[in-house]
Amino acid sequence: MAEHHQSEYDLSFTRKRRCVTMSADSKRVSLRLETATSVSEIEDHHPKHEYLYQLETTKRRWEISSANTYILADCNIESGELVSSYVIVKRELLFHSTEDESVTQYMHTCSCENGIIQAERLGSVSSGVSGNFEEFASREKSNYCIHSWAASELFSRPLNNAYPDYTTAYGDVLIDHLSVEPLLVSVTIDNSIHLVSVRKKHGAKKLSCLTCTYGKTSCEHVEAFRKWCERQNIDSPETYYTTNQSNFNCISATKISYPLTENLKDTFYKQQTGQKCMNLQNLVPAIPSVCASCAHGHEWDIQDPVEQNWLVGPATVYYATHTLTHMYVQGEENRINVYYRPSSGPCNCQLFYDGNEDMMLNLNNKDIIHYSILLLYLHLMVESRNPLASFHRAYSERIAGMSGTDVLPLHKLRLGWNAFARLLDINYASNFQCKVCELHPQVVICDGTSVGLNKKLLQSIPTDGSSAGISNDQGVPTQTVDIGTRHSDRVFISNPKVRRLLLQFCSTSKQSSKPLSSEEYSIMIDLMEKNDHLHSLANYIKLISSQGAHLQAPKEFCSFLEDLAKNSPTSAILQLPVGSKAKKYIKEFIHGIDLFQGKNQYKLEIVQKDAPVIFDFLAKYGKRSDGVPTEVRCLLKDILLKSRKSHTRDAEDTGTVVYPQPTEDPVACFPCLPKHKGKPAYSQDKTTGDMSQRGQDTCRKVYSKHPSLSPGIFTVYCMHGVCYGFQAMRQVESPKIPFEILLTRFNNPPEIVIYDNACRLHQYCLNREPRHFINTTFLVDRLHWKNHTGCSSGYSMERYKSNKRINSINSQVCEQGNAEMQRIKAQVAYMLPDNFMFHIRLFLAMQNAKKNQLLMTA
């Protein structure tokens, strides 16, 4: 490295303040300035190009919110290798030619020593340049330091990921979230830019300002970032970006029954009404039960801790309306003290005051929090959009207005709340289970919601590992499973041109509203007759095209023909389980049984209930005196045969599937639906789909992306609105997520799956596990069906109005449940992953408990 000299430098260039570098070897932050050689002194093929290359490949460069300001990683001037420090480059000095004011040039200035010298020189000259302006601009650019040169090269063209992950402002402070690992934040106050990171001090990680000379861990820039973290409900700014695990330990260890037991309710009521006065002067651990002992097997000493003076120290007790540090006993003011109880052996173990019987949480033997505060926040969190910071502000105002005593600090309230919540004895397996559907819901409604967490922290968590993947430990590709059916075998008309002509024949296609010409009609019929299973369709179209009126299909048959022309699997029209009575009666009809006779009316009603698309088609012939034409029966036969191919592959041995052992995903929570098998690697996972399917799928879900938060969570509900579990989404929502849940967590898939993207989920399942889902009906919820213009109407719940079971389902229970979750969206966004999962689980368990209670009382 070049020699370092100290100097003063200010980012606004009105006064000097020292610049920042960080030693790459020791990782210690020091305020030193690097003497940068001007770019003109560096050979073109040497350090500057290496520096530019590394900035582009590592993405350690950002354009922050302050206009024309860039943060770049610093480098070793001799080699161009990046180092741990950063520089700030501004594009702010504007010069113009005095001869032609339209000729202008912006100049870059840098926070390194060479940049400061150039900035001072340029700042001392007039913005109007006389003489040869091009020569002036060229000369100054040749004097750029390596950082200014790199900035002028990088930010003169569009960049990917050149902007901060997250930008927000409050008051006059602007926060640019530049990097998660390592942490780097830009804090702008009064147009002055400062960088905040994390450094080790006395073995502990501390927030530190990289631009201040003194008070680096407590300057206004660090405090501004801390306040931002509080507003974002970040648990611990120092550790948030360096760990995925939260630490919320407290002294209290006794589980808190929730809902509260009658004894706790009675204690709480008597405390609040003054019927039970606690002697808080001495907080003593209760005498343990006979069999209680320390970790080394020694019994606890049962002597009086006060008499033995086993004193821990003074404590403060926080209530919802006041705070106590002293108690008045017989007119005397006495400090509240906490005592311990030692073990009877030589191990020096100590038993501390737990507080459960007194509705108290012992945080650290110094701060004792009454349950009244924590229970109040629990219910406010569940029932209202009340982040912890907002609750603390309201609590502080309440204390100030009612008692004027000390207020529990926010960081202690956060620690106390998280410790308290983890002590709640909630049966999650029971709460994530509907009292009516029990362990095996036959109807599931699923969807994703945009309740996300920091995406980089989520991506750092390994997946469950239950999927076989592409390679083994030695890097050798593993064998993939190929048991799915092919799209071309599932769709009734595999030729896209025939589909287009048939849609045009129906004259309702968005692609064309013109009726067919005679030539197009002939082409359509010829193409159909070249395909064996389309002979019946060609004959049927000839039947309904009477007296040369073949330019447009009769209106009453358009809906059915459109379903055949869609790019959806034929089985979407006939989503019937194995052994279905409706399928049996349709086969009888094909073989000549008249379902419209009075004695067969009950059969027709079953077809109407379970196969509404077929029923609506047949109903057109029920009122005709000439009966049902043979062409109709032949067409239905081919539809039935094609539908069966959606779940079976003809004359092909797909082999036996060996499923991997299941392992749980750390960011998935299904308390009563553990995985019973892993997901194998499917050959279809490597492809983008059948060529016949590409470009035809009109059901592509549109997602909005947050710059720094993950896409959200995927939830699964039963028809009664009880959530069975959720999974954090690492990538945008896709059919892969519900497929894995249904495959690995359900021994037998649900009978009905309702999902706003059910059409694509159905095809995804048929591509990989057609037999596994042979008895499952896939439906699009009522709200989103209007967007599925290119899908078979067999996915529409509205077609099943005669099916009392389907018609009674509230398809919006998942949307409604996800809407409730928006109450905690802001609060959980910047939590650590394990804390995020815990709070979502707690919130949903509370919601499920209410819904189950309503089901039991209904």
PDB file of all heavy atoms in Angstrom, residues 51-79:
ATOM      1  N   TYR A  51      -9.317  -2.581 -11.059  1.00  0.00           N
ATOM      2  CA  TYR A  51     -10.236  -1.970 -10.087  1.00  0.00           C
ATOM      3  C   TYR A  51     -11.647  -1.898 -10.653  1.00  0.00           C
ATOM      4  O   TYR A  51     -12.614  -2.274  -9.986  1.00  0.00           O
ATOM      5  CB  TYR A  51      -9.716  -0.576  -9.747  1.00  0.00           C
ATOM      6  CG  TYR A  51     -10.553   0.192  -8.740  1.00  0.00           C
ATOM      7  CD1 TYR A  51     -11.029  -0.406  -7.576  1.00  0.00           C
ATOM      8  CD2 TYR A  51     -10.870   1.532  -8.959  1.00  0.00           C
ATOM      9  CE1 TYR A  51     -11.779   0.299  -6.650  1.00  0.00           C
ATOM     10  CE2 TYR A  51     -11.613   2.252  -8.048  1.00  0.00           C
ATOM     11  CZ  TYR A  51     -12.070   1.634  -6.890  1.00  0.00           C
ATOM     12  OH  TYR A  51     -12.819   2.341  -5.975  1.00  0.00           O
ATOM     13  N   LEU A  52     -11.765  -1.438 -11.882  1.00  0.00           N
ATOM     14  CA  LEU A  52     -13.077  -1.330 -12.521  1.00  0.00           C
ATOM     15  C   LEU A  52     -13.732  -2.702 -12.648  1.00  0.00           C
ATOM     16  O   LEU A  52     -14.922  -2.873 -12.361  1.00  0.00           O
ATOM     17  CB  LEU A  52     -12.925  -0.674 -13.892  1.00  0.00           C
ATOM     18  CG  LEU A  52     -14.226  -0.421 -14.678  1.00  0.00           C
ATOM     19  CD1 LEU A  52     -15.094   0.576 -13.939  1.00  0.00           C
ATOM     20  CD2 LEU A  52     -13.910   0.082 -16.075  1.00  0.00           C
ATOM     21  N   TYR A  53     -12.942  -3.696 -13.028  1.00  0.00           N
ATOM     22  CA  TYR A  53     -13.472  -5.052 -13.186  1.00  0.00           C
ATOM     23  C   TYR A  53     -13.988  -5.603 -11.851  1.00  0.00           C
ATOM     24  O   TYR A  53     -15.069  -6.193 -11.786  1.00  0.00           O
ATOM     25  CB  TYR A  53     -12.368  -5.957 -13.743  1.00  0.00           C
ATOM     26  CG  TYR A  53     -12.729  -7.426 -13.740  1.00  0.00           C
ATOM     27  CD1 TYR A  53     -13.604  -7.953 -14.686  1.00  0.00           C
ATOM     28  CD2 TYR A  53     -12.203  -8.292 -12.780  1.00  0.00           C
ATOM     29  CE1 TYR A  53     -13.943  -9.295 -14.678  1.00  0.00           C
ATOM     30  CE2 TYR A  53     -12.524  -9.629 -12.762  1.00  0.00           C
ATOM     31  CZ  TYR A  53     -13.405 -10.127 -13.719  1.00  0.00           C
ATOM     32  OH  TYR A  53     -13.744 -11.457 -13.696  1.00  0.00           O
ATOM     33  N   GLN A  54     -13.205  -5.391 -10.787  1.00  0.00           N
ATOM     34  CA  GLN A  54     -13.622  -5.921  -9.492  1.00  0.00           C
ATOM     35  C   GLN A  54     -14.850  -5.189  -8.955  1.00  0.00           C
ATOM     36  O   GLN A  54     -15.712  -5.801  -8.305  1.00  0.00           O
ATOM     37  CB  GLN A  54     -12.463  -5.830  -8.496  1.00  0.00           C
ATOM     38  CG  GLN A  54     -11.325  -6.777  -8.820  1.00  0.00           C
ATOM     39  CD  GLN A  54     -10.471  -7.086  -7.605  1.00  0.00           C
ATOM     40  OE1 GLN A  54     -10.880  -6.895  -6.460  1.00  0.00           O
ATOM     41  NE2 GLN A  54      -9.272  -7.596  -7.851  1.00  0.00           N
ATOM     42  N   LEU A  55     -14.963  -3.914  -9.194  1.00  0.00           N
ATOM     43  CA  LEU A  55     -16.165  -3.184  -8.769  1.00  0.00           C
ATOM     44  C   LEU A  55     -17.405  -3.729  -9.467  1.00  0.00           C
ATOM     45  O   LEU A  55     -18.470  -3.864  -8.856  1.00  0.00           O
ATOM     46  CB  LEU A  55     -16.015  -1.689  -9.067  1.00  0.00           C
ATOM     47  CG  LEU A  55     -15.095  -0.878  -8.165  1.00  0.00           C
ATOM     48  CD1 LEU A  55     -14.974   0.543  -8.681  1.00  0.00           C
ATOM     49  CD2 LEU A  55     -15.590  -0.880  -6.720  1.00  0.00           C
ATOM     50  N   GLU A  56     -17.267  -4.042 -10.740  1.00  0.00           N
ATOM     51  CA  GLU A  56     -18.416  -4.552 -11.495  1.00  0.00           C
ATOM     52  C   GLU A  56     -18.789  -5.961 -11.074  1.00  0.00           C
ATOM     53  O   GLU A  56     -19.968  -6.297 -10.977  1.00  0.00           O
ATOM     54  CB  GLU A  56     -18.111  -4.512 -12.991  1.00  0.00           C
ATOM     55  CG  GLU A  56     -18.088  -3.106 -13.575  1.00  0.00           C
ATOM     56  CD  GLU A  56     -17.893  -3.121 -15.085  1.00  0.00           C
ATOM     57  OE1 GLU A  56     -16.947  -3.808 -15.537  1.00  0.00           O
ATOM     58  OE2 GLU A  56     -18.651  -2.458 -15.781  1.00  0.00           O
ATOM     59  N   THR A  57     -17.799  -6.810 -10.832  1.00  0.00           N
ATOM     60  CA  THR A  57     -18.087  -8.209 -10.509  1.00  0.00           C
ATOM     61  C   THR A  57     -18.546  -8.393  -9.067  1.00  0.00           C
ATOM     62  O   THR A  57     -19.386  -9.251  -8.787  1.00  0.00           O
ATOM     63  CB  THR A  57     -16.848  -9.089 -10.765  1.00  0.00           C
ATOM     64  OG1 THR A  57     -15.733  -8.552 -10.045  1.00  0.00           O
ATOM     65  CG2 THR A  57     -16.521  -9.127 -12.252  1.00  0.00           C
ATOM     66  N   THR A  58     -18.013  -7.614  -8.143  1.00  0.00           N
ATOM     67  CA  THR A  58     -18.402  -7.766  -6.734  1.00  0.00           C
ATOM     68  C   THR A  58     -19.606  -6.927  -6.356  1.00  0.00           C
ATOM     69  O   THR A  58     -20.172  -7.105  -5.279  1.00  0.00           O
ATOM     70  CB  THR A  58     -17.231  -7.373  -5.805  1.00  0.00           C
ATOM     71  OG1 THR A  58     -16.918  -5.983  -6.012  1.00  0.00           O
ATOM     72  CG2 THR A  58     -16.008  -8.229  -6.076  1.00  0.00           C
ATOM     73  N   LYS A  59     -20.005  -5.987  -7.229  1.00  0.00           N
ATOM     74  CA  LYS A  59     -21.146  -5.102  -6.980  1.00  0.00           C
ATOM     75  C   LYS A  59     -20.936  -4.205  -5.774  1.00  0.00           C
ATOM     76  O   LYS A  59     -21.901  -3.695  -5.184  1.00  0.00           O
ATOM     77  CB  LYS A  59     -22.438  -5.907  -6.780  1.00  0.00           C
ATOM     78  CG  LYS A  59     -22.716  -6.946  -7.846  1.00  0.00           C
ATOM     79  CD  LYS A  59     -22.923  -6.334  -9.198  1.00  0.00           C
ATOM     80  CE  LYS A  59     -23.286  -7.400 -10.230  1.00  0.00           C
ATOM     81  NZ  LYS A  59     -23.360  -6.849 -11.587  1.00  0.00           N
ATOM     82  N   ARG A  60     -19.682  -3.978  -5.408  1.00  0.00           N
ATOM     83  CA  ARG A  60     -19.426  -3.113  -4.245  1.00  0.00           C
ATOM     84  C   ARG A  60     -19.333  -1.657  -4.692  1.00  0.00           C
ATOM     85  O   ARG A  60     -18.346  -0.979  -4.513  1.00  0.00           O
ATOM     86  CB  ARG A  60     -18.151  -3.561  -3.523  1.00  0.00           C
ATOM     87  CG  ARG A  60     -18.296  -4.880  -2.770  1.00  0.00           C
ATOM     88  CD  ARG A  60     -16.996  -5.304  -2.130  1.00  0.00           C
ATOM     89  NE  ARG A  60     -16.541  -4.347  -1.138  1.00  0.00           N
ATOM     90  CZ  ARG A  60     -15.332  -4.363  -0.580  1.00  0.00           C
ATOM     91  NH1 ARG A  60     -14.460  -5.303  -0.946  1.00  0.00           N
ATOM     92  NH2 ARG A  60     -14.982  -3.450   0.308  1.00  0.00           N
ATOM     93  N   ARG A  61     -20.388  -1.197  -5.331  1.00  0.00           N
ATOM     94  CA  ARG A  61     -20.512   0.200  -5.731  1.00  0.00           C
ATOM     95  C   ARG A  61     -21.991   0.523  -5.795  1.00  0.00           C
ATOM     96  O   ARG A  61     -22.806  -0.297  -6.228  1.00  0.00           O
ATOM     97  CB  ARG A  61     -19.806   0.494  -7.065  1.00  0.00           C
ATOM     98  CG  ARG A  61     -20.513  -0.051  -8.303  1.00  0.00           C
ATOM     99  CD  ARG A  61     -20.365  -1.542  -8.491  1.00  0.00           C
ATOM    100  NE  ARG A  61     -20.925  -2.035  -9.725  1.00  0.00           N
ATOM    101  CZ  ARG A  61     -22.202  -2.293  -9.928  1.00  0.00           C
ATOM    102  NH1 ARG A  61     -23.073  -2.046  -8.991  1.00  0.00           N
ATOM    103  NH2 ARG A  61     -22.614  -2.782 -11.083  1.00  0.00           N
ATOM    104  N   TRP A  62     -22.340   1.718  -5.312  1.00  0.00           N
ATOM    105  CA  TRP A  62     -23.737   2.095  -5.220  1.00  0.00           C
ATOM    106  C   TRP A  62     -23.919   3.560  -5.589  1.00  0.00           C
ATOM    107  O   TRP A  62     -23.064   4.403  -5.304  1.00  0.00           O
ATOM    108  CB  TRP A  62     -24.264   1.896  -3.795  1.00  0.00           C
ATOM    109  CG  TRP A  62     -24.126   0.501  -3.284  1.00  0.00           C
ATOM    110  CD1 TRP A  62     -25.022  -0.515  -3.390  1.00  0.00           C
ATOM    111  CD2 TRP A  62     -23.006  -0.041  -2.564  1.00  0.00           C
ATOM    112  NE1 TRP A  62     -24.534  -1.649  -2.803  1.00  0.00           N
ATOM    113  CE2 TRP A  62     -23.291  -1.394  -2.279  1.00  0.00           C
ATOM    114  CE3 TRP A  62     -21.788   0.484  -2.140  1.00  0.00           C
ATOM    115  CZ2 TRP A  62     -22.430  -2.226  -1.587  1.00  0.00           C
ATOM    116  CZ3 TRP A  62     -20.908  -0.341  -1.458  1.00  0.00           C
ATOM    117  CH2 TRP A  62     -21.229  -1.675  -1.193  1.00  0.00           C
ATOM    118  N   GLU A  63     -25.025   3.855  -6.198  1.00  0.00           N
ATOM    119  CA  GLU A  63     -25.453   5.243  -6.394  1.00  0.00           C
ATOM    120  C   GLU A  63     -26.514   5.512  -5.344  1.00  0.00           C
ATOM    121  O   GLU A  63     -27.603   4.924  -5.385  1.00  0.00           O
ATOM    122  CB  GLU A  63     -26.012   5.465  -7.791  1.00  0.00           C
ATOM    123  CG  GLU A  63     -26.461   6.899  -8.032  1.00  0.00           C
ATOM    124  CD  GLU A  63     -26.929   7.135  -9.460  1.00  0.00           C
ATOM    125  OE1 GLU A  63     -26.899   6.183 -10.265  1.00  0.00           O
ATOM    126  OE2 GLU A  63     -27.338   8.269  -9.753  1.00  0.00           O
ATOM    127  N   ILE A  64     -26.231   6.356  -4.380  1.00  0.00           N
ATOM    128  CA  ILE A  64     -27.147   6.554  -3.262  1.00  0.00           C
ATOM    129  C   ILE A  64     -28.148   7.646  -3.586  1.00  0.00           C
ATOM    130  O   ILE A  64     -28.081   8.303  -4.625  1.00  0.00           O
ATOM    131  CB  ILE A  64     -26.394   6.842  -1.949  1.00  0.00           C
ATOM    132  CG1 ILE A  64     -25.618   8.164  -2.037  1.00  0.00           C
ATOM    133  CG2 ILE A  64     -25.460   5.697  -1.604  1.00  0.00           C
ATOM    134  CD1 ILE A  64     -24.983   8.565  -0.716  1.00  0.00           C
ATOM    135  N   SER A  65     -29.078   7.862  -2.645  1.00  0.00           N
ATOM    136  CA  SER A  65     -30.201   8.758  -2.891  1.00  0.00           C
ATOM    137  C   SER A  65     -29.775  10.205  -3.075  1.00  0.00           C
ATOM    138  O   SER A  65     -30.422  10.959  -3.783  1.00  0.00           O
ATOM    139  CB  SER A  65     -31.214   8.650  -1.739  1.00  0.00           C
ATOM    140  OG  SER A  65     -31.646   7.325  -1.603  1.00  0.00           O
ATOM    141  N   SER A  66     -28.717  10.633  -2.379  1.00  0.00           N
ATOM    142  CA  SER A  66     -28.224  11.991  -2.568  1.00  0.00           C
ATOM    143  C   SER A  66     -27.787  12.154  -4.021  1.00  0.00           C
ATOM    144  O   SER A  66     -27.069  11.318  -4.559  1.00  0.00           O
ATOM    145  CB  SER A  66     -27.041  12.267  -1.638  1.00  0.00           C
ATOM    146  OG  SER A  66     -27.434  12.139  -0.286  1.00  0.00           O
ATOM    147  N   ALA A  67     -28.228  13.214  -4.655  1.00  0.00           N
ATOM    148  CA  ALA A  67     -28.053  13.375  -6.093  1.00  0.00           C
ATOM    149  C   ALA A  67     -26.590  13.248  -6.497  1.00  0.00           C
ATOM    150  O   ALA A  67     -25.706  13.877  -5.923  1.00  0.00           O
ATOM    151  CB  ALA A  67     -28.603  14.731  -6.525  1.00  0.00           C
ATOM    152  N   ASN A  68     -26.343  12.391  -7.515  1.00  0.00           N
ATOM    153  CA  ASN A  68     -25.015  12.250  -8.118  1.00  0.00           C
ATOM    154  C   ASN A  68     -23.925  11.932  -7.093  1.00  0.00           C
ATOM    155  O   ASN A  68     -22.824  12.471  -7.142  1.00  0.00           O
ATOM    156  CB  ASN A  68     -24.643  13.530  -8.880  1.00  0.00           C
ATOM    157  CG  ASN A  68     -25.631  13.849  -9.985  1.00  0.00           C
ATOM    158  OD1 ASN A  68     -26.103  12.951 -10.665  1.00  0.00           O
ATOM    159  ND2 ASN A  68     -25.951  15.122 -10.147  1.00  0.00           N
ATOM    160  N   THR A  69     -24.245  11.041  -6.162  1.00  0.00           N
ATOM    161  CA  THR A  69     -23.276  10.634  -5.149  1.00  0.00           C
ATOM    162  C   THR A  69     -23.120   9.121  -5.199  1.00  0.00           C
ATOM    163  O   THR A  69     -24.104   8.390  -5.275  1.00  0.00           O
ATOM    164  CB  THR A  69     -23.727  11.059  -3.750  1.00  0.00           C
ATOM    165  OG1 THR A  69     -23.932  12.478  -3.737  1.00  0.00           O
ATOM    166  CG2 THR A  69     -22.682  10.698  -2.710  1.00  0.00           C
ATOM    167  N   TYR A  70     -21.872   8.661  -5.157  1.00  0.00           N
ATOM    168  CA  TYR A  70     -21.581   7.246  -5.311  1.00  0.00           C
ATOM    169  C   TYR A  70     -20.681   6.767  -4.169  1.00  0.00           C
ATOM    170  O   TYR A  70     -19.786   7.491  -3.725  1.00  0.00           O
ATOM    171  CB  TYR A  70     -20.887   6.975  -6.657  1.00  0.00           C
ATOM    172  CG  TYR A  70     -21.494   7.737  -7.803  1.00  0.00           C
ATOM    173  CD1 TYR A  70     -20.815   8.799  -8.404  1.00  0.00           C
ATOM    174  CD2 TYR A  70     -22.757   7.414  -8.275  1.00  0.00           C
ATOM    175  CE1 TYR A  70     -21.375   9.512  -9.449  1.00  0.00           C
ATOM    176  CE2 TYR A  70     -23.339   8.116  -9.316  1.00  0.00           C
ATOM    177  CZ  TYR A  70     -22.641   9.168  -9.898  1.00  0.00           C
ATOM    178  OH  TYR A  70     -23.214   9.870 -10.928  1.00  0.00           O
ATOM    179  N   ILE A  71     -20.925   5.545  -3.732  1.00  0.00           N
ATOM    180  CA  ILE A  71     -20.080   4.887  -2.737  1.00  0.00           C
ATOM    181  C   ILE A  71     -19.341   3.760  -3.449  1.00  0.00           C
ATOM    182  O   ILE A  71     -19.964   2.887  -4.054  1.00  0.00           O
ATOM    183  CB  ILE A  71     -20.904   4.322  -1.565  1.00  0.00           C
ATOM    184  CG1 ILE A  71     -21.825   5.391  -0.977  1.00  0.00           C
ATOM    185  CG2 ILE A  71     -19.987   3.726  -0.504  1.00  0.00           C
ATOM    186  CD1 ILE A  71     -21.100   6.553  -0.343  1.00  0.00           C
ATOM    187  N   LEU A  72     -18.016   3.771  -3.374  1.00  0.00           N
ATOM    188  CA  LEU A  72     -17.202   2.742  -4.015  1.00  0.00           C
ATOM    189  C   LEU A  72     -16.289   2.086  -2.984  1.00  0.00           C
ATOM    190  O   LEU A  72     -15.791   2.751  -2.075  1.00  0.00           O
ATOM    191  CB  LEU A  72     -16.324   3.343  -5.122  1.00  0.00           C
ATOM    192  CG  LEU A  72     -16.983   4.153  -6.232  1.00  0.00           C
ATOM    193  CD1 LEU A  72     -15.924   4.644  -7.196  1.00  0.00           C
ATOM    194  CD2 LEU A  72     -18.035   3.350  -6.949  1.00  0.00           C
ATOM    195  N   ALA A  73     -16.057   0.800  -3.174  1.00  0.00           N
ATOM    196  CA  ALA A  73     -15.025   0.141  -2.369  1.00  0.00           C
ATOM    197  C   ALA A  73     -13.669   0.719  -2.755  1.00  0.00           C
ATOM    198  O   ALA A  73     -13.406   1.000  -3.931  1.00  0.00           O
ATOM    199  CB  ALA A  73     -15.053  -1.356  -2.609  1.00  0.00           C
ATOM    200  N   ASP A  74     -12.806   0.932  -1.761  1.00  0.00           N
ATOM    201  CA  ASP A  74     -11.472   1.456  -2.031  1.00  0.00           C
ATOM    202  C   ASP A  74     -10.592   0.333  -2.591  1.00  0.00           C
ATOM    203  O   ASP A  74     -11.005  -0.837  -2.633  1.00  0.00           O
ATOM    204  CB  ASP A  74     -10.880   2.020  -0.741  1.00  0.00           C
ATOM    205  CG  ASP A  74      -9.767   3.022  -1.001  1.00  0.00           C
ATOM    206  OD1 ASP A  74      -9.372   3.171  -2.171  1.00  0.00           O
ATOM    207  OD2 ASP A  74      -9.304   3.640  -0.029  1.00  0.00           O
ATOM    208  N   CYS A  75      -9.381   0.677  -2.997  1.00  0.00           N
ATOM    209  CA  CYS A  75      -8.516  -0.333  -3.594  1.00  0.00           C
ATOM    210  C   CYS A  75      -7.059  -0.074  -3.236  1.00  0.00           C
ATOM    211  O   CYS A  75      -6.682   0.998  -2.759  1.00  0.00           O
ATOM    212  CB  CYS A  75      -8.682  -0.346  -5.114  1.00  0.00           C
ATOM    213  SG  CYS A  75      -8.008   1.116  -5.927  1.00  0.00           S
ATOM    214  N   ASN A  76      -6.254  -1.072  -3.486  1.00  0.00           N
ATOM    215  CA  ASN A  76      -4.803  -0.935  -3.421  1.00  0.00           C
ATOM    216  C   ASN A  76      -4.367  -0.260  -4.718  1.00  0.00           C
ATOM    217  O   ASN A  76      -4.559  -0.799  -5.805  1.00  0.00           O
ATOM    218  CB  ASN A  76      -4.162  -2.318  -3.290  1.00  0.00           C
ATOM    219  CG  ASN A  76      -2.656  -2.254  -3.113  1.00  0.00           C
ATOM    220  OD1 ASN A  76      -1.971  -1.537  -3.832  1.00  0.00           O
ATOM    221  ND2 ASN A  76      -2.154  -3.035  -2.178  1.00  0.00           N
ATOM    222  N   ILE A  77      -3.803   0.941  -4.599  1.00  0.00           N
ATOM    223  CA  ILE A  77      -3.477   1.727  -5.778  1.00  0.00           C
ATOM    224  C   ILE A  77      -2.496   1.009  -6.697  1.00  0.00           C
ATOM    225  O   ILE A  77      -2.526   1.157  -7.911  1.00  0.00           O
ATOM    226  CB  ILE A  77      -2.885   3.099  -5.362  1.00  0.00           C
ATOM    227  CG1 ILE A  77      -3.900   3.849  -4.499  1.00  0.00           C
ATOM    228  CG2 ILE A  77      -2.526   3.932  -6.575  1.00  0.00           C
ATOM    229  CD1 ILE A  77      -5.213   4.095  -5.169  1.00  0.00           C
ATOM    230  N   GLU A  78      -1.643   0.188  -6.137  1.00  0.00           N
ATOM    231  CA  GLU A  78      -0.610  -0.464  -6.938  1.00  0.00           C
ATOM    232  C   GLU A  78      -1.146  -1.645  -7.729  1.00  0.00           C
ATOM    233  O   GLU A  78      -0.614  -1.975  -8.784  1.00  0.00           O
ATOM    234  CB  GLU A  78       0.536  -0.915  -6.028  1.00  0.00           C
ATOM    235  CG  GLU A  78       1.244   0.242  -5.334  1.00  0.00           C
ATOM    236  CD  GLU A  78       2.289  -0.245  -4.352  1.00  0.00           C
ATOM    237  OE1 GLU A  78       2.409  -1.480  -4.187  1.00  0.00           O
ATOM    238  OE2 GLU A  78       2.984   0.595  -3.756  1.00  0.00           O
ATOM    239  N   SER A  79      -2.199  -2.313  -7.203  1.00  0.00           N
ATOM    240  CA  SER A  79      -2.692  -3.513  -7.882  1.00  0.00           C
ATOM    241  C   SER A  79      -4.125  -3.397  -8.370  1.00  0.00           C
ATOM    242  O   SER A  79      -4.547  -4.172  -9.225  1.00  0.00           O
ATOM    243  CB  SER A  79      -2.588  -4.722  -6.939  1.00  0.00           C
ATOM    244  OG  SER A  79      -3.459  -4.552  -5.827  1.00  0.00           O
TER     245      SER A  79
END
